[in-house]
Amino acid sequence: MLTASNQHQMIMDEASIYGIIGEEGFTRLVTAFYRQVPADDILGRMYPAKDLAGAEQRLRDFLIYRFGGPQRYIEERGHPRLRGRHLPFRIDQAARDRWIQLMNKAFTDAALPIEVEQFLRAFFEQMSTFMINSG
Ligand code: HEM
């Protein structure tokens, strides 16, 4: 059976994404995402209001590490264990859908190359569903 990451690799080599969009591309995307968080009625109260810049940096560094860039995230945070790290937050279908909605808006704002956008959108769709931990 194909794993999710094998399916992705058939479309493009995921480690090449950093080479295409660089730090700057990931920064644009993640900044556009977090810009929407404080005013959001579901996500606004989940994220740390006093450390939104830190949260922004953690997501950006994770994506950079995951898609072929420097390993800063691992050096600072260790193994991602993303599902475990999300357990303190109550993530139901509505929170998951809202996260994707904000990320989709961020893609529109960031205007990344279309092949990168398609790849990352598919990645987020899967990962966000995996993060659901509450009915
Ligand atoms: C399904 C909806 C999601 C919700 C509601 C959610 C919410 C959160 C919250 C509240 C935090 C804590 C912010 C912080 O202080 O860092 C967080 C952290 C984080 N999230 Fe999510 N998240 C979701 C999906 C995702 C997805 C799809 C990814 C990646 C593909 C992701 C990656 C991360 C990372 C890398 C961190 C920082 C982890 C750490 O090192 O502590 N999240 N998320």
Side-chain angles (χ1 to χ4, degrees):
M1 205 184 83
L2 284 173
T3 64
S5 85
N6 281 337
Q7 280 169 3
H8 286 146
Q9 271 161 11
M10 296 195 307
I11 306 165
M12 73 182 291
D13 173 12
E14 56 185 54
S16 70
I17 292 182
Y18 181 80
I20 301 170
I21 67 171
E23 300 256 350
E24 201 269 331
F26 284 109
T27 300
R28 237 162 55 223
L29 180 68
V30 171
T31 302
F33 175 83
Y34 275 101
R35 196 156 52 216
Q36 308 167 75
V37 165
D40 189 86
D41 61 344
I42 299 178
L43 301 185
R45 35 194 153 86
M46 282 169 85
Y47 283 85
K50 291 195 185 112
D51 189 26
L52 218 51
E56 191 170 326
Q57 187 187 331
R58 288 184 278 278
L59 179 59
R60 188 186 60 226
D61 285 352
F62 169 75
L63 294 173
I64 287 171
Y65 135 75
R66 181 65 178 72
F67 292 104
Q71 307 287 296
R72 220 157 38 219
Y73 180 85
I74 301 294
E75 286 157 20
E76 281 168 21
R77 309 290 293 167
H79 189 278
R81 300 185 298 103
L82 281 193
R83 196 166 192 285
R85 286 194 209 261
H86 284 77
L87 287 178
F89 313 108
R90 190 176 173 277
I91 303 182
D92 57 11
Q93 184 74 41
R96 179 264 180 213
D97 289 349
R98 183 62 62 81
W99 196 98
I100 286 294
Q101 191 184 319
L102 265 53
M103 189 53 83
N104 286 342
K105 169 74 164 64
F107 276 115
T108 306
D109 295 348
L112 300 175
I114 189 65
E115 73 276 15
V116 170
E117 175 174 331
Q118 281 170 353
F119 188 95
L120 291 179
R121 275 183 190 255
F123 171 76
F124 287 135
E125 287 281 341
Q126 278 188 355
M127 286 290 283
S128 60
T129 300
F130 179 59
M131 255 25 122
I132 294 175
N133 56 28
S134 159

